[in-house]
Amino acid sequence: MTFPLGAPLLDACVLGVLTQGDAYGYSLTQRMKEVVDLSESTLYPVLRRLRQAGCLNVYDQPYQGRNRRYYAITPVGRTLLSGYREAWREYRGQIETMLFSEEPEEGGGEYGEG
Amino acid sequence: MGKADFLSELRRALSSRLPEEELSDALAYYEEYFAEAGEDREEAVLQELGSPAAVAAKVLEDRGDAPPVPKKSPSRPKELVLWGVGILMACGVLAAVLLALLPLGPEEGAPLYGVIAGSEGFSDDLMDMEAIHRLEIDLPAAEVLIAPETEGTGLYVERWGEPNPNLYYDVENGTLRLWTEAWEEDAEPSGGTVYLYLPRTLVWADINLDRGFLSVHGLEVQDLDVTIGQGDAALEQLATGTLEAEVGTGTLYLDHVRGGTLKGSVTRLGDQGGLEEHTPEALVEGDGTALVLEHCGAGVLELRCQAGDVAASGTFPGTVSLEAPQGSVYFSTTLARMDYQISRSGGSELLVYQDVEGGGSNYSGGDRWDLQVQAKTAAYLHFAA
């Protein structure tokens, strides 16, 4: 099973994936679909929102007679991502105190995700 | 349905709802998406995308970000937009007195005796509240509660001036004035409660209380000027061009207030604020926060608290100036495209600062801290004395 991603987490994941390199919509969607249950239509609003917020830049590159629109993370996006990462670690820790409450504490941080 | 049908239906679903640039942006995205997926996957992609209407809904849904700040338009206050829902909900205090409403006659300079509904000395004529566009209140000691006329009728006064009536009102050229006159020398200023139900839109309102409590909610006021010597003010669900609120000793609370310019200042936090029973709980239970903004929005925001804490959250895309020379500042904003200038006291320490570094920020030293946020993002900061 997978857990649905809320908007902030989705934003965070998009930003995270883009730190590995610029991507176009389709490739980004496929990349994320490997990990989470994501509808094909989900990412456009997310990308647009992040772009408007100054977290992403876009540029077009010709490919087979048409354009591919690439998304690239900006410094603002990286800052936002670092905030998300911190928040996620904290959140994950809190969730795990409930999920694994009977297990010894030193096991924390080693659990696989998803 | 094939890819072409999908795209043309998507265009139709969005065309009247999106500006041209956004429309072509969205269509280009999905067009590219189909192209990348290739003909082999076209069916699968169509399946997964769902109906064009559903995709359109998703695109539109996400546009619901922060509403624009109203523009100041001095001669046409009706253009102001009132945001927020729940305006029609009567607040408990006001609802309770609706049963005892007393409509008053619009006599010029008529003295208002300290009585409740049904007492002699009052005309039963309805005051023509529709004719009121401006409001001027100047009282030494009072609770004043102002609400839109959907929640009641006219002007209602309770407990005033015993034994000597000294509260007066008149309506002239659309201006409702409430004032007091010469009580006997050395006499305690008499006081009471005024409930005012006004047309939703006012050109201006000037409210001055030496001591007491003020609540205003659910109105659009082009220029709102509030001065309270000692006591509390709660301003809620207002749209305003310019709001200036000043409290000497007490608390100032703004919730869902949108304005071109919001200026608030509190000199110091009072022991109990003003009249305890009406003080917003958040402030009574608070930790010394004298000036609170929640869910507010402004093009220009200026807050100052001489002794006490300032807490502000909302949407502030313009100029922000916060000062708490002897206290703490809590500030959180979405939609930031601005230069913040936040004064802090000499030895204060910045406790939390995140999500904005990449936008460019610097600490310039001394008692001024400058924060620049390049684009719409979240900012949160807190520093304490």
Side-chain angles (χ1 to χ4, degrees):
Chain A
M1 74 173 281
T2 57
F3 301 95
L5 294 189
L9 203 46
L10 202 53
D11 288 7
C13 289
V14 167
L15 292 171
V17 171
L18 288 176
T19 56
Q20 298 159 15
D22 303 349
Y24 51 96
Y26 184 80
S27 65
L28 190 61
T29 304
Q30 300 309 315
R31 169 80 184 76
M32 290 182 65
K33 278 178 70 172
E34 290 167 15
V35 182
V36 293
D37 189 12
L38 188 72
S39 151
E40 308 255 3
S41 63
T42 305
L43 283 194
Y44 173 73
V46 174
L47 290 168
R48 179 162 184 94
R49 183 175 62 234
L50 287 170
R51 201 172 116 203
Q52 280 181 331
C55 295
L56 301 180
N57 279 332
V58 300
Y59 59 93
D60 293 336
Q61 274 201 348
Y63 175 79
Q64 295 187 349
R66 56 184 178 80
N67 272 333
R68 259 181 185 166
R69 171 154 292 188
Y70 280 85
Y71 296 83
I73 188 168
T74 64
V76 175
R78 286 180 193 278
T79 306
L80 190 61
L81 177 60
S82 71
Y84 276 136
R85 282 174 171 163
E86 197 174 313
W88 171 254
R89 282 189 199 106
E90 191 178 322
Y91 181 67
R92 187 182 63 182
Q94 286 164 354
I95 294 292
E96 288 180 354
T97 60
M98 296 186 283
L99 275 182
F100 306 106
S101 46
E102 81 280 10
E103 295 185 17
E105 281 203 356
E106 59 270 19
E110 293 304 312
Y111 306 111
E113 295 143 44
Chain B
M1 180 190 293
K3 158 183 130 180
D5 291 335
F6 178 93
L7 289 170
S8 71
E9 277 204 30
L10 182 61
R11 169 183 286 276
R12 201 168 53 233
L14 290 174
S15 60
S16 61
R17 319 275 294 273
L18 285 181
E20 183 53 39
E21 178 264 331
E22 283 187 47
L23 175 65
S24 59
D25 194 66
L27 289 168
Y29 179 89
Y30 288 103
E31 217 170 318
E32 180 189 312
Y33 200 91
F34 277 111
E36 296 291 347
E39 283 184 14
D40 298 348
R41 276 209 73 220
E42 188 176 313
E43 264 307 306
V45 169
L46 280 168
Q47 281 281 325
E48 276 210 50
L49 283 175
S51 72
V55 172
K58 242 178 197 172
V59 172
L60 293 170
E61 174 193 21
D62 202 66
R63 298 182 76 246
D65 52 6
V69 171
K71 287 195 190 111
K72 190 171 178 177
S73 53
S75 57
R76 298 162 69 195
K78 291 206 170 183
E79 280 197 357
L80 284 174
V81 183
L82 191 58
W83 286 294
V85 287
I87 292 153
L88 296 179
M89 285 191 301
C91 88
V93 176
L94 292 175
V97 304
L98 289 183
L99 298 172
L101 273 181
L102 177 67
L104 297 175
E107 298 163 56
E108 296 288 308
L112 293 174
Y113 295 81
V115 287
I116 52 173
S119 301
E120 52 187 307
F122 284 91
S123 159
D124 281 342
D125 297 339
L126 276 170
M127 184 186 245
D128 182 11
M129 302 308 273
E130 275 303 318
I132 294 172
H133 305 298
R134 288 170 291 273
L135 176 65
E136 197 177 318
I137 295 179
D138 194 350
L139 298 172
E143 297 172 44
V144 177
L145 296 99
I146 301 173
E149 61 192 342
T150 47
E151 295 177 13
T153 314
L155 167 65
Y156 170 69
V157 177
E158 195 177 67
R159 184 167 56 80
W160 203 284
E162 293 169 6
N164 301 310
N166 54 21
L167 177 68
Y168 295 83
Y169 79 100
D170 71 9
V171 179
E172 197 172 339
N173 296 326
T175 304
L176 169 65
R177 286 201 306 143
L178 274 172
W179 75 98
T180 57
E181 277 177 11
W183 44 74
E184 291 166 28
E185 232 173 284
D186 298 332
E188 277 288 302
S190 50
T193 305
V194 176
Y195 300 94
L196 259 176
Y197 300 91
L198 294 171
R200 175 151 292 166
T201 306
L202 294 178
V203 179
W204 55 256
D206 195 342
I207 302 166
N208 192 342
L209 307 178
D210 293 347
R211 201 179 141 269
F213 172 75
L214 172 70
S215 159
V216 184
H217 80 272
L219 298 179
E220 301 172 24
V221 188
Q222 183 61 42
D223 282 296
L224 177 56
D225 214 323
V226 170
T227 310
I228 299 192
Q230 184 184 347
D232 301 338
L235 311 174
E236 296 163 277
Q237 303 192 342
L238 304 178
T240 179
T242 303
L243 164 68
E244 293 191 36
E246 192 181 325
V247 173
T249 303
T251 52
L252 176 59
Y253 175 77
L254 276 66
D255 183 24
H256 286 95
V257 176
R258 302 277 176 175
T261 299
L262 299 184
K263 292 185 186 181
S265 99
V266 176
T267 307
R268 67 175 185 276
L269 184 69
D271 296 339
Q272 282 293 348
L275 301 165
E276 193 182 351
E277 65 266 34
H278 293 304
T279 310
E281 279 177 14
L283 301 184
V284 173
E285 295 168 4
D287 47 5
T289 309
L291 208 171
V292 178
L293 272 72
E294 289 180 330
H295 311 293
C296 291
V300 176
L301 177 68
E302 289 180 23
L303 302 177
R304 177 178 168 80
C305 188
Q306 181 64 35
D309 299 346
V310 174
S313 70
T315 301
F316 306 107
T319 312
V320 172
S321 168
L322 307 171
E323 287 182 67
Q326 296 173 44
S328 301
V329 170
Y330 304 81
F331 176 64
S332 121
T333 180
T334 55
L335 190 71
R337 184 181 290 278
M338 69 194 89
D339 297 342
Y340 292 123
Q341 294 204 316
I342 297 160
S343 298
R344 50 193 211 148
S345 51
S348 66
E349 185 188 0
L350 184 65
L351 297 183
V352 181
Y353 167 45
Q354 62 183 25
D355 287 359
V356 287
E357 290 162 289
S361 67
N362 58 82
Y363 170 46
S364 60
D367 59 357
R368 184 162 283 278
W369 190 77
D370 295 329
L371 166 67
Q372 293 184 336
V373 181
Q374 301 288 352
K376 189 171 81 174
T377 179
Y380 172 74
L381 62 91
H382 167 208
F383 55 81

